[in-house]
């Protein structure tokens, strides 16, 4: 196989692959615009990990597109070589063919890089989705008879993963997803989560800011003082003793602990519970969260 044959076949393959990618991207834009307006919008609420479900769906489409483009390139390259595509560049100087070939390989390398990045991002988003679903389903069970659970509650400081509103109080539950092996522990100290072994630390300043903002928004809505308890769920980790009374650290199995973490000041009047639940029902309708301000 000489340089003319490789260059000709690769050029035809790249051109067809580019057309395929353009068509696939165009169709994705059309499909996204069609799905932006769900059926029964007044009755469908966001589920646990809704934003991660949406991101995973988008990333899955990207993966399919890149993998399809790769197969398209290989198939067209083989067909073009079979039908002697080297005649496209017959008589061209060798240095131009090498330059063209280098450009084509750079484009193919970039496409491969994007595929690898997409696969890695897909794996991470899937982990975040599963962690949020595990916590959300546990909350649904323990909230029965005690209040209602709302998911992906948007504030101006970011998205609170789960919010429980009931007569016994308000709980903002944020999920910190960190991969864990067996018998690994986490504890909260100095506004940081410390994971052992490995001594990895994750600050919780953003969680505190979101919880404070949610509390402020609820106070403005009710025109009286309310308290929002901050719960940090770390699925798969065993929570040790905590030195910070402002946050409760649990995992997906120890979430029932939050029902006992309250005092008399946390209790709400029936009309306040109804007002907050109606407000969250309106704001947590199924719609693309990306359009809202979030962090």
């Amino acid at each position: 196989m000489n340089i003319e044959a490789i260059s000709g076949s690769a050029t035809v393959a790249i051109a067809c692959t580019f057309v395929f990618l353009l068509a696939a991207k165009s169709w994705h834009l059309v499909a996204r615009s069609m799905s932006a307006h769900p059926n029964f919008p007044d009755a469908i609420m966001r589920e646990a990990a809704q934003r991660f479900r949406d991101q995973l769906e988008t990333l899955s489409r990207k993966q399919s597109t890149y993998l399809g483009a790769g197969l398209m390139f290989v198939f067209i390259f083989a067909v073009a070589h079979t039908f002697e595509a080297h005649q496209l560049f017959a008589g061209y100087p060798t240095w131009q063919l090498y330059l063209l070939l280098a450009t084509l390989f750079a484009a193919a390398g970039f496409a491969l890089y994007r595929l690898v990045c997409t696969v890695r991002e897909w794996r991470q988003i899937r982990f975040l989705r599963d962690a949020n679903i595990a916590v959300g389903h546990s909350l649904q069970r323990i909230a029965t008879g005690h209040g209602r659970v709302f998911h992906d509650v948007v504030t101006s400081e970011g998205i609170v993963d789960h919010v429980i509103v009931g007569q016994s109080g308000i709980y903002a539950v944020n999920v910190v997803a960190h991969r864990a092996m067996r018998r690994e522990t986490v504890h909260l100290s100095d506004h940081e989560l410390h994971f052992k072994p490995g001594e990895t630390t994750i600050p919780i300043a953003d969680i505190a800011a979101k919880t404070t903002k949610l509390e402020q928004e609820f106070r403005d809505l009710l025109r009286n003082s309310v308290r929002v308890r901050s719960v940090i769920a770390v699925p798969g980790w065993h929570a040790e003793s905590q030195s910070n009374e402002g946050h409760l650290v649990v995992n997906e199995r120890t979430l029932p602990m939050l029902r006992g973490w309250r005092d008399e000041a946390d209790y709400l009047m029936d009309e306040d519970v109804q007002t907050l639940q109606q407000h969250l029902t309106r704001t947590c309708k199924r719609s693309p969260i990306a359009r809202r301000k979030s962090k």
Side-chain angles (χ1 to χ4, degrees), residues 15 22 26 39 43 82 125 138 173 179 184 212 226 231 251 274:
L22 183 62
S26 299
N39 298 317
T82 302
I125 295 297
S138 297
V173 183
R179 298 186 184 276
E184 293 187 331
T212 301
V226 295
V231 179
N251 58 33
Q274 184 177 4

Side-chain angles (χ1 to χ4, degrees), residues 225-259:
S225 178
V226 295
R227 180 177 182 179
V228 177
R229 293 275 190 174
S230 175
V231 179
I232 302 175
V234 192
W237 292 79
H238 173 67
E240 293 182 336
S241 59
Q242 337 176 33
S243 62
N244 193 322
E245 296 182 355
H247 306 272
L248 175 67
V249 181
V250 295
N251 58 33
E252 74 281 8
R253 297 182 302 276
T254 59
L255 270 170
M257 292 174 56
L258 66 84
R259 291 187 297 187

Side-chain angles (χ1 to χ4, degrees), residues 101 179 220 260:
L101 195 60
R179 298 186 184 276
D220 294 340

Side-chain angles (χ1 to χ4, degrees), residues 149-226:
V149 182
F150 301 89
H151 308 289
D152 287 348
V153 178
V154 180
T155 73
S156 58
E157 289 293 334
I159 298 175
V160 179
D161 295 317
H162 315 278
V163 174
I164 300 179
V165 178
Q167 291 181 338
S168 58
I170 308 170
Y171 298 88
V173 183
N174 286 282
V175 179
V176 177
H178 192 67
R179 298 186 184 276
M181 302 297 288
R182 293 183 177 180
R183 297 185 296 277
E184 293 187 331
T185 60
V186 58
H187 72 277
L188 179 63
S189 177
D190 299 327
H191 301 286
E192 288 183 335
L193 288 171
H194 298 263
F195 296 88
K196 295 185 296 184
E199 294 299 332
T200 302
T201 60
I202 296 179
I204 62 167
D206 60 330
I207 292 178
K210 289 186 292 186
T211 304
T212 301
K213 191 63 176 180
L214 183 67
E215 184 177 83
Q216 179 183 343
E217 292 177 0
F218 285 173
R219 287 180 177 179
D220 294 340
L221 179 65
L222 298 177
R223 299 176 183 267
N224 58 45
S225 178
V226 295

Side-chain angles (χ1 to χ4, degrees), residues 16-38:
C16 294
T17 303
F18 178 78
V19 173
F20 171 81
L21 284 173
L22 183 62
K25 291 290 185 180
S26 299
W27 171 247
H28 289 168
L29 290 175
V30 173
R32 185 166 57 182
S33 64
M34 293 173 60
S35 62
H37 305 286

